[in-house]
Amino acid sequence: MQSIYNYTLDMLKDYMISLGEKPFRSQQIIEWLYRKQIKSFDEMSNIKKSFIEQLKNDFDLDRLECVTKQESFDGTKKFLFRLKDGNLIETVLMNNEYGYSACVTTEVGCNMGCAFCASGMKKKLRNLETSEIVLQVLTASELAGIKITHVVVMGIGEPFDNYDNVINFIKILNEPLGFEIGARHITVSTCGLVPKIYEYSEFPLQVNLAISLHAPNNEIRNQIMPINKTYKIEKLMQAITDYIDKTNRRVTIEYILLKDINDTVECANELADLLHGLNVYVNLIPYNEVKEKPYKRSTKEAMVKFFDILKKRKINVQLRREQGGDIDAACGQLRSKHIK
Ligand code: SAH
């Protein structure tokens, strides 16, 4: 039996048609699943009994099993969920002035191997199914008793390495009679899988794109992000430029500040040259140190100096405040504590 949370509206429609049911019923089902958040098919009071039996035969409504929940003084909540095959994944809820954002995981482990990141210490075992990504948002919101208004696909894994399931996840989140999370409130972050950036630029919803750049040149990027050996910075920048031309949307550039690696004055100037004239927004991110990794967080002074240089060079930039620093918030830290 499979989870009904794998099904987009179109997939539900096809399912209805295959059973000789009216396709508009699929819209009602979406409402039951995401508006009323039912726990049993019997609650679907406008669906006839025989069809409810059919649904029960074909699908389950199971939530994710919560193993631990941590809560930070700043309102950040972090969940460790167990999947049906026993694998563990993390989901984070962040409390922002505009509402709650969920940060979701897309893969069990990650193959991208970024040198500073805790997630990549465990190789990818498999992609998450669409339902396992959807259920992170649903289960976390139920357990926390809050409404989630924004979603960032920035948890463990490389979303563009599980492209189709992530796209179906976005379609489900965005469904007007479902969760109804606006496309502009959804952000997908990639380490730079260039062909997928082009594919994503064709996706009709107005979702956001964030690029984990983390270095202003190939020399430094090669050291910390193996993906750069496949897609060099020039190719990545071209893809970003083409994406902006095609979609007219601003791209977020993520840049973790690593002490003495990518946080120098030269790096700031080189980054300003690289991004000059592009419709981008730079998020400077304080590094969450990982015990097993040699990298250190930049000093406050280095971070502020880096920020000031970009600002002076007329780049849109913010120095992101840190959240959940007291609760293993760095990507993959909570999970890596619980697995061998
Ligand atoms: N694979 C995707 C999404 C997951 S990582 C990507 O690379 O974008 C989400 C973001 O967290 C990335 O920018 C990643 O580089 C960053 N990150 C990873 N480990 C971190 C750490 N210890 N401290 C701060 N940011 C980290």
Side-chain angles (χ1 to χ4, degrees):
M1 198 172 345
Q2 71 158 314
S3 171
I4 197 161
Y5 300 103
N6 276 321
Y7 274 51
T8 60
L9 180 63
D10 283 342
M11 289 161 80
L12 281 173
K13 272 188 188 151
D14 290 345
Y15 167 76
M16 297 290 159
I17 291 166
S18 75
L19 293 171
E21 290 289 333
K22 302 253 177 348
F24 77 86
R25 294 254 175 242
S26 50
Q27 194 71 69
Q28 294 174 324
I29 291 183
I30 291 280
E31 260 184 275
W32 285 112
L33 296 178
Y34 301 104
R35 280 283 166 95
K36 316 230 170 63
Q37 305 188 353
I38 52 161
K39 298 249 165 71
S40 151
F41 287 112
D42 292 320
E43 293 175 53
M44 296 179 159
S45 54
N46 57 356
I47 308 278
K48 64 175 189 271
K49 281 273 175 308
S50 59
F51 191 58
I52 287 183
E53 290 311 311
Q54 180 76 49
L55 287 168
K56 281 188 192 166
N57 271 327
D58 293 340
F59 299 112
D60 71 60
L61 287 168
D62 297 345
R63 306 304 203 249
L64 300 176
E65 180 196 340
C66 181
V67 181
T68 60
K69 180 181 163 200
Q70 296 181 338
E71 193 152 351
S72 161
F73 63 89
D74 64 13
T76 306
K77 301 175 205 319
K78 186 153 190 166
F79 300 87
L80 186 71
F81 291 123
R82 185 179 289 115
L83 305 173
K84 284 194 172 158
D85 63 0
N87 278 311
L88 298 172
I89 57 164
E90 301 175 5
T91 307
V92 182
L93 297 186
M94 291 160 293
N95 188 4
N96 304 313
E97 60 274 20
Y98 46 77
Y100 269 96
S101 314
C103 175
V104 296
T105 288
T106 53
E107 301 176 333
V108 179
C110 182
N111 279 342
M112 296 300 119
C114 298
F116 47 81
C117 176
S119 306
M121 296 192 302
K122 304 283 184 254
K123 285 275 160 268
K124 169 164 150 177
L125 297 178
R126 66 172 176 88
N127 285 331
L128 292 194
E129 289 178 19
T130 300
S131 59
E132 291 169 325
I133 316 176
V134 170
L135 281 165
Q136 291 174 58
V137 182
L138 185 64
T139 313
S141 123
E142 285 174 350
L143 290 174
I146 49 114
K147 184 170 163 52
I148 289 165
T149 58
H150 292 66
V151 169
V152 293
V153 186
M154 293 189 185
I156 295 174
E158 168 49 49
F160 282 178
D161 202 21
N162 183 13
Y163 190 80
D164 295 343
N165 290 344
V166 168
I167 290 294
N168 280 348
F169 162 70
I170 294 170
K171 288 181 184 164
I172 291 172
L173 282 189
N174 185 244
E175 213 37 79
L177 290 173
F179 268 131
E180 207 188 356
I181 297 182
R184 287 192 179 80
H185 290 183
I186 302 172
T187 303
V188 178
S189 174
T190 180
C191 65
L193 270 60
V194 164
K196 293 293 175 194
I197 296 174
Y198 283 99
E199 205 173 327
Y200 190 66
S201 72
E202 308 277 342
F203 184 52
L205 298 179
Q206 304 261 309
V207 275
N208 302 304
L209 174 66
I211 303 284
S212 296
L213 190 63
H214 305 331
N217 60 45
N218 285 315
E219 200 193 330
I220 300 177
R221 204 162 190 267
N222 281 339
Q223 278 173 38
I224 56 176
M225 298 181 73
I227 190 69
N228 198 67
K229 297 194 174 122
T230 311
Y231 304 112
K232 299 255 161 305
I233 236 170
E234 296 77 16
K235 283 251 163 11
L236 177 58
M237 294 314 297
Q238 189 58 51
I240 296 170
T241 308
D242 293 343
Y243 176 92
I244 295 169
D245 284 348
K246 170 131 198 151
T247 63
N248 269 319
R249 291 200 289 272
R250 176 190 274 181
V251 168
T252 300
I253 301 290
E254 294 162 279
Y255 195 103
I256 304 176
L257 289 161
L258 301 165
K259 185 170 190 296
D260 300 332
I261 304 280
N262 66 358
D263 67 343
T264 60
V265 169
E266 295 77 56
C267 282
N269 278 307
E270 213 175 336
L271 183 63
D273 291 339
L274 191 69
L275 301 178
H276 178 77
L278 273 181
N279 184 17
V280 293
Y281 192 88
V282 180
N283 248 332
L284 295 176
I285 307 169
Y287 178 57
N288 267 318
E289 291 180 12
V290 177
K291 193 169 83 265
E292 296 83 354
K293 303 284 186 186
Y295 300 99
K296 295 273 168 263
R297 172 180 294 203
S298 297
T299 61
K300 189 93 198 141
E301 298 72 53
M303 290 199 258
V304 170
K305 199 164 191 180
F306 201 97
F307 171 86
D308 285 344
I309 292 171
L310 292 183
K311 196 101 199 142
K312 209 174 278 158
R313 299 276 310 266
K314 306 259 184 308
I315 305 284
N316 289 311
V317 57
Q318 74 161 355
L319 189 53
R320 198 155 87 182
R321 82 193 157 97
E322 189 197 3
Q323 288 183 300
D326 54 330
I327 56 162
D328 300 318
C331 311
Q333 274 187 349
L334 178 59
R335 172 172 185 260
S336 64
K337 261 193 197 169
H338 284 78
I339 53 179
K340 286 189 273 310

